[in-house]
Every structure is written in structure tokens, then in C-alpha cells.
Amino acid sequence: MQERDWTTADSLETTDDRHFQVQREPITWPNGARIALTWTVVLELLTATSKHFNTAHVIYGVYGGRRGIWRTLDLLDAYDVKASIFVNGSAGEKFPQVVKEAAARGHEIVPYGYASNFYLEELDARQEREHILKTLKIIEDLTGRKPRGWASPEYRPGPNTLSVLAEQGIVWNGDFPNDDLPYRCKVGGKELVIIPYQLESDSREIYERHRHHPRVWVDCFKRSFDALYEEGAEKPKMLNATLHAHLARPLWMKALESTIRHARQFPDVWYATRGEIADWWLKR
């Protein structure tokens, strides 16, 4: 009997029952780390060709490529932090020098759809495929290397997204906020690593959508980190923290610095990009 491929719908119902065991076998991170900490920076744009278009949001979002991303890269450099930079294809076209510089500084460049207001779940199969392939090509042309990961705009993949990604040799996907740890799925005879996304530590969710002060984001990070670090003494865990480049204004830089400095107080922390986490997971 042929094994059924994992699809977007399986983000809620996986084919591997072991994934839902209450008591799972503890995993291990490099050097016995208690927690894997990964930083995500999102460089995004909106496009007028989408039905989800707002002129004010477009203008506001351009700040990310003009100023916010540079400020963020400099701060990450100061603390020797390598991040996964999620980049819209349209942002790559408008700010190619940003993508090239981020890659040159050692950050992982991750395709994040063509524009943040194009949701793959709203496209037909042909459009979904074209959208993904177009974005992958833009990022590859800018960095000189084939992308290894993918995240869909607003983390809303289409029904065929995983199949197209597997076909294109993508190693990991970050669309599903349904676990604390990565897990594997099989698509088209190939294995993908799902690296769960955590909304609780996303600057846009806390600041832009809910209008909280950046100190709330810092508090959410610290509380999440402390809880997972404590759990990690017996069962190692993972935490992602996300900053959107268009929000990286002076007010936010102190918030980002506070989270980095908080984590640096603790031993046994593995600072990794999502690609590095996926590689480690596949070797287990």
C-alpha cells in the first residue's frame, strides 16, 4: 500500500501517531543545550495587485527595506547573532542590496512568498505554484544559492504548497504553529522538517495588531524563554523570536537588544538559524 503524502491539512492531523504522544522521548541539541534559540527577521512588502491592499500600509512597510533592516543587521552583528531573514520576492526586487548584504553577513535568507498580502490559500493550483517558483527564483538569483527553507505570507499555505516545496528540494517549512519542537513529514517521497512558528514572540502580533508597547514583546520573550529553559533541563525545547523590519525603529532596537542580552545570561543555549535546526533534526 502506497504511503499517503503529508498535506497542508495534515498540519492538524499528521500521519504519524507518535507525534501526539503526551510523553515523548526527550530530544537532544548540540553540546547538550537546554534550548535552541532562533531569531527571525521579516523583510516584507505589500503589492497593489492583491485584493488585500492598503496604500498607508504599503508606505509604512517600505521603512523596513530603507532603514529598519539595516539597523537590525547592525545590532545582530554587534552580538554575533545569525538570523533567518524572511524575504518577500517583491522586497528582494525592490531592495536587492539588502538581501545580498544580509547573506554576505552570514544570515539565512528564506523565501516568504512574493508579497505579504498574497495568501497562497486563496490562489488556485496554477497560481500557487507560479507564486512559489517565482519567489524561489528571485531569492536564488540574489543570493547565488538555492533556498532551503520556506514560509508562506501570513503563514497561510495553500493545499499544494508542501508538494511544490518538496519537488523543489526545500528542506524545511515554517508555516505551522502547532508544536513546541520541529517534526518531520513525508511529501512526494521526500522528508520535510516542519519548524513550528510561535506567534507569542512575533513583534507584529504584539505591537502592530494589538498595539502593545515593545516592552510587552520583551516580557513575552523572557517569560517564554525562562519557562522553556527550565523545562529544557530534562526535555530540551526550542524558541523562536521574530522582529518585522518595518517595525525596527529606534524604539524597537532596545527591545531586541534586551531579549538578546537576557538569553546571553544563560549557559547551554544553542543559537541557530532555522536551516541549522532542520539539518540537525534530519541527522537525528
Side-chain angles (χ1 to χ4, degrees):
M1 180 176 178
Q2 187 174 5
E3 183 177 2
R4 181 173 67 87
D5 275 348
W6 210 86
T7 67
T8 299
D10 290 316
S11 63
L12 298 177
E13 184 181 358
T14 181
T15 57
D16 186 352
D17 291 337
R18 291 174 300 173
H19 178 65
F20 290 107
Q21 290 180 356
V22 176
Q23 296 295 336
R24 294 188 230 166
E25 180 181 349
I27 60 104
T28 58
W29 293 128
N31 300 316
R34 293 169 63 160
I35 185 172
L37 179 56
T38 182
W39 302 92
T40 301
V41 179
V42 183
L43 178 63
E44 59 194 322
L45 287 177
L46 306 182
T47 175
T49 57
S50 168
K51 65 181 181 180
H52 304 284
F53 177 75
N54 182 305
T55 302
H57 289 171
V58 171
I59 296 172
Y60 187 74
V62 170
Y63 184 90
R66 297 182 65 176
R67 292 290 178 267
I69 189 66
W70 298 109
R71 180 178 288 124
T72 304
L73 291 176
D74 288 345
L75 181 59
L76 294 176
D77 279 354
Y79 285 90
D80 193 27
V81 171
K82 303 305 179 188
S84 297
I85 314 290
F86 287 12
V87 181
N88 284 156
S90 58
E93 290 175 332
K94 188 172 183 63
F95 303 111
Q97 70 279 14
V98 170
V99 179
K100 293 177 181 179
E101 178 66 19
R105 296 192 192 192
H107 300 287
E108 178 187 25
I109 308 301
V110 182
Y112 182 56
Y114 183 70
S116 281
N117 56 346
F118 266 119
Y119 307 140
L120 297 183
E121 65 182 11
E122 296 179 350
L123 305 179
D124 62 34
R126 178 187 59 80
Q127 293 171 327
E128 180 185 2
R129 180 181 179 81
E130 290 177 351
H131 179 103
I132 294 171
L133 295 183
K134 179 179 182 179
T135 305
L136 291 175
K137 186 176 188 308
I138 290 170
I139 300 304
E140 181 177 357
D141 288 347
L142 288 172
T143 63
R145 64 190 69 171
K146 291 182 69 67
R148 304 182 67 248
W150 172 276
S152 302
E154 293 290 326
Y155 311 100
R156 294 165 63 176
N160 305 294
T161 297
L162 295 179
S163 296
V164 178
L165 296 179
E167 171 194 304
Q168 297 300 312
I170 295 299
V171 173
W172 66 266
N173 172 264
D175 287 338
F176 305 109
N178 58 356
D179 209 310
D180 292 329
L181 289 170
Y183 56 93
R184 302 185 192 198
C185 65
K186 186 163 287 187
V187 184
K190 300 178 180 179
E191 280 196 322
L192 278 176
V193 178
I194 303 298
I195 301 182
Y197 191 77
Q198 291 151 323
L199 295 173
E200 297 82 2
S201 53
D202 186 314
S203 66
R204 185 178 177 190
E205 291 293 323
I206 291 174
Y207 180 72
E208 192 170 72
R209 289 182 171 163
H210 298 289
R211 301 301 182 188
H212 292 303
H213 192 278
R215 71 172 69 95
V216 175
W217 180 72
V218 174
D219 186 60
C220 286
F221 173 89
K222 289 181 177 180
R223 289 173 181 265
S224 295
F225 180 93
D226 291 353
L228 293 171
Y229 188 84
E230 183 176 335
E231 292 179 11
E234 295 185 0
K235 297 182 178 181
K237 293 297 193 299
M238 181 191 77
L239 177 62
N240 166 75
T242 300
L243 178 66
H244 292 253
H246 65 278
L247 299 180
R249 299 167 194 251
L251 173 69
W252 268 95
M253 287 301 94
K254 289 302 179 183
L256 176 58
E257 187 173 27
S258 293
T259 59
I260 296 174
R261 295 180 68 175
H262 179 77
R264 287 289 170 88
Q265 299 176 76
F266 296 82
D268 302 324
V269 178
W270 181 36
Y271 300 92
T273 64
R274 288 172 178 245
E276 290 170 335
I277 291 174
D279 288 340
W280 178 262
W281 204 259
L282 288 171
K283 292 176 182 177
R284 293 176 64 246

